[in-house]
């Protein structure tokens, strides 16, 4: 009896050794570490003891010798399985990306950008000062303002009601003071009203035409800070020049000397007209400050309102594009899967008792359920699209403050910004369990996809023009270009993303491979131990050893 117990105890010890060996393999699941582990003479004995577990043996026979090559073969087969898994992912991604590009970016996106009602235009949706001066406007109203800006300057428009204003000043004030030197003026024709900032300077400023109506511009020019009393000779001499420049100008004038004689001298205007320079510059500064303030207020009012309206429209447009595109894309994918299933299993899927229409109904219901199941993703896509549409409109406006964007560039900004929004969202709120390296890896792929999409949009017009030269497809050039460029862009995006995976800049794929290998070894170990323990643990003597283990220190 004691001999049997001793044999069983030996078997139990061997089981313990196998567990230790498998644990060591699991903890060293990456290929490099396993190779080092396998080439160590000290650990080779442990490897030899786990052969029964690796081969899922169902008994406790003597441990069979296992060579390094056999273990490497095992690791290699698991790596191949991982590569097949990644390749399947690539194919699925390729199908999804291609459908999305054809339907969303180059399908709906092409329609939206080329539509006369809601399409993109050169210079964006809001006219900037930079574009206005070049005659590039976003609305018919702004075009009308530009025509007024380029019309010949009409002084009389800015001197409306001058006689009434001067008459009222004479009536309301006992003394009329020259604004440029503080001296008293006569209440007659020798006293004039003067625009401190000249009407010509106001009319020549593009901002005043773009941001203000004719009435608002007139009211600004006749603001009390800009309309001052002075003598007629000074007013006529100053004309349309800025006050600070006019004061410093010199002119040859006949000057009466103390002895009563006269001579010609070069005299500055401020000296000849007895201008108090400090007082005059203060008047000029106040007038310009008021004009600047009114310009800013008018700009905020006009462009702020336009940015809000066009941003909302762009947000709605982009939101609908993404959500509808997702629905169409999912529908297309579901239809393709059903077609594939028809080729594989037959239209009725083996249910010969079903009629054609019954089988069709089942497939349509399956497609419908699959599309409807995406409603949360559709809402998320609309939200992302709306945000990117609103801010891409704002970015387009900022760019147009310095350079003029083409209609195609507007579309590039919108589509590119959508990818950046997704990348930013991923960085700010990554899914639970995603590491920083994984986030960086995914963001890199999103940015790369955005660049590929940009290239596709840039060549789309050229492809369409080329297709119009082919008589057979001339009438369908627009649709054909969408399909061709969308398909090519989708495929290229997939290959670029695959290339980034292969480069593995952040070691993410290597970590996934290691985790995959570890999980497979875990599964093998668990299955082997389960089979072994099913045999061993039925024996009451072995069970007693299990119970005594904590006591005897086994």
């Amino acid at each position: 009896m004691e001999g049997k117990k001793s044999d069983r105890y030996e078997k139990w010890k061997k089981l313990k050794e196998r567990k230790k060996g498998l644990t060591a393999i699991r903890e060293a699941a990456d290929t490099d570490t396993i190779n080092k582990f396998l080439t160590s003479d000290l650990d080779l004995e442990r490897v030899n003891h786990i052969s029964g577990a690796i081969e899922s043996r169902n008994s406790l026979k003597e441990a069979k010798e296992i060579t390094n090559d056999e273990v490497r073969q095992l690791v290699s087969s698991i790596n191949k399985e991982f590569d097949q898994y990644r390749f399947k992912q690539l194919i699925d991604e390729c199908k999804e990306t291609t459908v999305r590009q054809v339907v969303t970016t180059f399908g709906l996106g092409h329609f939206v950008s080329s539509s006369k009602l809601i399409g993109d235009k050169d210079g964006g949706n809001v006219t900037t000062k930079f574009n206005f001066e070049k005659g590039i406007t976003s609305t018919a109203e702004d075009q009308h303002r530009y025509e007024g800006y380029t019309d010949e300057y009409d002084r009389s428009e800015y001197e409306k009601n001058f006689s009434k204003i001067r008459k009222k000043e004479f009536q309301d004030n006992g003394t009329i003071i020259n604004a440029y030197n503080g001296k008293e003026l006569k209440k007659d024709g020798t006293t004039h009203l003067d625009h401190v900032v000249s009407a010509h300077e106001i009319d020549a400023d593009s901002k005043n035409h773009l941001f203000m109506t004719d009435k608002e511009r007139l009211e600004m020019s006749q603001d009390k800070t800009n309309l001052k009393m002075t003598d007629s000779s000074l007013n006529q001499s100053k004309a349309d020049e800025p006050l600070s420049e006019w004061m410093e100008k010199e002119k040859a004038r006949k000057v009466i000397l103390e002895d009563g004689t006269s001579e010609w001298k070069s005299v500055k205007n401020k000296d000849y007209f007895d201008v108090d320079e400090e007082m005059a510059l203060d008047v000029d500064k106040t007038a310009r400050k008021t004009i600047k303030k009114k310009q800013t207020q008018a700009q905020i009012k006009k462009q702020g309102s336009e940015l809000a309206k066009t941003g909302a429209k762009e947000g709605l447009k982009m939101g609908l594009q993404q959500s509808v595109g997702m629905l169409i894309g999912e529908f297309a994918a579901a239809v393709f899967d059903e077609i594939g299933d028809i080729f594989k299993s037959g239209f009725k899927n083996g249910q010969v008792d079903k009629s054609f229409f019954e089988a069709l109904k089942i497939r349509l219901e399956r497609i419908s359920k699959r599309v409807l199941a995406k409603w949360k993703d559709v809402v998320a896509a609309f939200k992302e699209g709306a945000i990117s549409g609103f801010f891409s409109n704002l970015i387009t406006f900022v760019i147009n403050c310095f350079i003029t964007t083409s209609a195609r560039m507007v579309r590039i900004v919108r589509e590119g910004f959508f990818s950046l929004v997704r990348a930013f969202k991923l960085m700010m709120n990554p899914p639970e369990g995603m590491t920083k390296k994984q986030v960086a890896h995914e963001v890199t792929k999103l940015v790369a996809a955005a660049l590929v999409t940009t290239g596709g949009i840039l060549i789309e017009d050229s492809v369409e023009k080329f297709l119009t030269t082919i008589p057979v497809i001339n009438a369908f050039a627009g649709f054909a270009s969408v399909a061709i460029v969308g398909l090519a862009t989708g495929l290229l995006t997939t290959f670029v993303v695959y290339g980034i995976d292969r480069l593995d800049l952040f070691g993410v794929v290597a970590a996934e491979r290691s985790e995959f290998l570890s999980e497979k070894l875990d599964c093998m170990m668990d299955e082997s131990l389960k089979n072994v323990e099913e045999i061993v643990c039925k024996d009451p003597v072995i069970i007693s050893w299990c119970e005594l283990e904590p006591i005897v220190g086994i």
Side-chain angles (χ1 to χ4, degrees):
M1 184 68 177
E2 288 296 326
K4 289 183 179 179
K5 284 185 178 179
S6 177
D7 290 342
R8 286 167 179 159
Y9 176 61
E10 288 300 319
K11 290 178 180 179
W12 175 249
K13 284 205 304 182
K14 288 183 179 183
L15 177 64
K16 297 276 287 181
E17 285 299 317
R18 289 177 182 176
K19 285 182 178 178
K20 288 179 183 177
L22 285 167
T23 302
I25 287 280
R26 180 182 59 194
E27 290 175 352
D30 62 275
T31 308
D32 291 338
T33 308
I34 287 176
N35 288 337
K36 290 177 184 176
F37 174 73
L38 294 176
T39 54
S40 170
D41 293 334
L42 295 174
D43 292 355
L44 187 57
E45 185 178 352
R46 181 178 293 177
V47 176
N48 291 333
H49 277 295
I50 68 169
S51 62
I54 290 178
E55 296 183 2
S56 301
R57 289 180 177 273
N58 296 321
S59 64
L60 287 175
K61 295 179 181 179
E62 288 297 320
K64 171 187 171 185
E65 289 289 327
I66 181 169
T67 65
N68 293 350
D69 288 338
E70 287 175 319
V71 177
R72 288 194 187 95
Q73 242 178 6
L74 172 66
V75 174
S76 177
S77 68
I78 295 175
N79 278 330
K80 284 180 181 177
E81 191 176 341
F82 176 78
D83 290 335
Q84 289 171 351
Y85 163 74
R86 294 291 296 182
F87 184 74
K88 184 179 181 303
Q89 272 190 328
L90 172 68
I91 297 301
D92 292 340
E93 238 176 73
C94 180
K95 181 173 66 175
E96 182 184 339
T97 303
T98 303
V99 170
R100 186 174 66 246
Q101 291 282 26
V102 172
V103 173
T104 306
T105 307
F106 294 94
L108 294 173
H110 178 86
F111 168 76
V112 166
S113 65
S114 60
S115 170
K116 292 183 179 179
L117 294 175
I118 56 175
D120 300 323
K121 54 178 75 73
D122 293 347
N125 296 315
V126 179
T127 307
T128 61
K129 175 180 175 289
F130 179 84
N131 287 336
F132 182 77
E133 290 174 350
K134 297 167 66 176
I136 301 171
T137 56
S138 302
T139 64
E141 181 187 353
D142 287 344
Q143 183 60 33
H144 178 71
R145 292 181 183 218
Y146 176 73
E147 290 167 2
Y149 169 61
T150 54
D151 283 345
E152 190 175 346
Y153 163 59
D154 185 0
R155 180 186 295 275
S156 64
E157 287 295 315
Y158 288 93
E159 293 183 355
K160 285 180 178 179
N161 305 320
F162 259 33
S163 59
K164 290 181 181 180
I165 296 172
R166 188 175 61 171
K167 184 178 181 180
K168 191 173 185 306
E169 286 289 323
F170 287 172
Q171 291 173 346
D172 294 346
N173 297 287
T175 304
I176 304 298
I177 302 299
N178 189 329
Y180 301 129
N181 58 22
K183 294 181 178 181
E184 186 176 350
L185 294 168
K186 296 177 181 179
K187 293 184 177 181
D188 59 21
T190 62
T191 297
H192 281 191
L193 278 169
D194 177 48
H195 287 109
V196 179
V197 178
S198 71
H200 182 269
E201 185 177 341
I202 289 172
D203 190 76
D205 192 334
S206 59
K207 295 191 291 293
N208 296 332
H209 284 269
L210 176 58
F211 306 138
M212 296 179 176
T213 63
D214 294 344
K215 183 181 178 182
E216 289 171 336
R217 197 164 57 252
L218 174 63
E219 289 174 351
M220 181 180 72
S221 73
Q222 294 184 354
D223 184 87
K224 62 181 181 180
T225 60
N226 193 56
L227 207 57
K228 297 295 183 179
M229 290 289 192
T230 189
D231 65 74
S232 57
S233 59
L234 185 153
N235 181 39
Q236 290 168 352
S237 175
K238 176 175 169 287
D240 295 328
E241 291 186 75
L243 181 61
S244 57
E245 294 179 14
W246 170 81
M247 285 194 300
E248 295 301 320
K249 276 193 172 181
E250 294 184 357
K251 187 176 181 180
R253 291 184 172 91
K254 197 174 185 179
V255 179
I256 306 299
L257 303 176
E258 292 182 359
D259 60 2
T261 61
S262 63
E263 67 176 356
W264 288 89
K265 281 188 176 182
S266 183
V267 182
K268 289 184 177 181
N269 285 326
K270 63 181 179 181
D271 296 324
Y272 184 79
F273 291 101
D274 194 21
V275 173
D276 184 326
E277 185 174 4
E278 185 177 349
M279 180 184 289
L281 290 176
D282 186 58
V283 169
D284 184 72
K285 182 180 178 181
T286 302
R288 292 184 182 279
K289 185 177 179 181
T290 300
I291 288 172
K292 180 67 176 176
K293 181 180 178 181
K294 288 183 180 293
Q295 283 178 339
T296 303
Q297 289 174 339
Q299 181 177 11
I300 292 172
K301 180 181 177 181
K302 181 180 186 294
Q303 292 188 328
S305 172
E306 290 175 343
L307 281 170
K309 289 177 183 177
T310 57
K313 186 179 80 171
E314 286 294 312
L316 178 63
K317 184 167 68 175
M318 191 65 174
L320 287 173
Q321 176 183 320
Q322 294 304 317
S323 56
V324 173
M326 175 171 283
L327 284 173
I328 296 174
E330 187 64 25
F331 174 78
V335 169
F336 286 138
D337 286 346
E338 289 296 327
I339 292 172
D341 186 62
I342 289 170
F343 279 106
K344 181 181 178 182
S345 309
F347 185 78
K348 296 181 181 180
N349 199 17
Q351 299 177 348
V352 293
D353 57 321
K354 299 286 185 184
S355 69
F356 172 85
F357 291 104
E358 286 176 325
L360 178 63
K361 182 181 177 182
I362 291 171
R363 291 191 178 278
L364 291 177
E365 284 177 349
R366 201 152 53 204
I367 292 171
S368 176
K369 286 179 181 178
R370 178 170 167 178
V371 172
L372 290 175
K374 284 283 185 178
W375 72 269
K376 287 185 179 179
D377 294 332
V378 170
V379 172
F382 180 86
K383 183 180 176 182
E384 287 181 355
I387 291 171
S388 65
F390 182 87
F391 283 102
S392 67
N393 184 65
L394 183 60
I395 290 173
T396 302
F397 168 77
V398 172
I399 293 173
N400 277 281
C401 289
F402 306 99
I403 60 172
T404 303
T405 59
S406 65
R408 192 165 297 279
M409 184 59 67
V410 172
R411 183 177 166 204
I412 288 172
V413 171
R414 184 172 62 247
E415 297 291 346
F417 195 77
F418 176 70
S419 295
L420 294 180
V421 166
R422 293 177 64 196
F424 184 77
K425 180 183 175 183
L426 183 61
M427 287 190 293
M428 293 297 101
N429 187 29
E432 188 176 349
M434 183 175 274
T435 65
K436 290 182 179 180
K437 287 184 177 181
Q438 287 173 323
V439 170
H441 186 70
E442 294 304 316
V443 167
T444 302
K445 291 197 285 189
L446 285 170
V447 173
L451 293 175
V452 174
T453 302
T454 297
I457 294 172
L458 287 173
I459 67 169
E460 183 184 11
D461 191 47
S462 300
V463 172
E464 185 174 350
K465 287 179 180 177
F466 170 73
L467 293 176
T468 56
T469 63
I470 304 174
V472 180
I473 58 174
N474 186 5
F476 310 101
F479 294 105
S481 65
V482 167
I484 293 171
V485 178
L487 181 63
T489 305
L491 290 171
L492 184 58
T493 299
T494 304
F495 291 135
V496 168
V497 167
Y498 179 70
I500 291 173
D501 269 354
R502 297 289 292 177
L503 285 174
D504 197 17
L505 299 172
F506 303 97
V508 172
V509 178
E512 288 180 9
R513 183 184 294 276
S514 176
E515 186 178 351
F516 184 85
L517 184 59
S518 177
E519 287 177 357
K520 292 296 291 185
L521 288 171
D522 276 347
C523 288
M524 294 175 69
M525 181 188 77
D526 292 342
E527 184 64 28
S528 296
L529 291 180
K530 181 182 176 183
N531 293 334
V532 172
E533 287 171 355
E534 280 180 0
I535 297 172
V536 174
C537 293
K538 288 177 181 177
D539 193 311
V541 177
I542 298 296
I543 293 172
S544 68
W545 278 111
C546 292
E547 292 170 349
L548 288 172
E549 182 179 354
I551 299 172
V552 300
I554 295 174

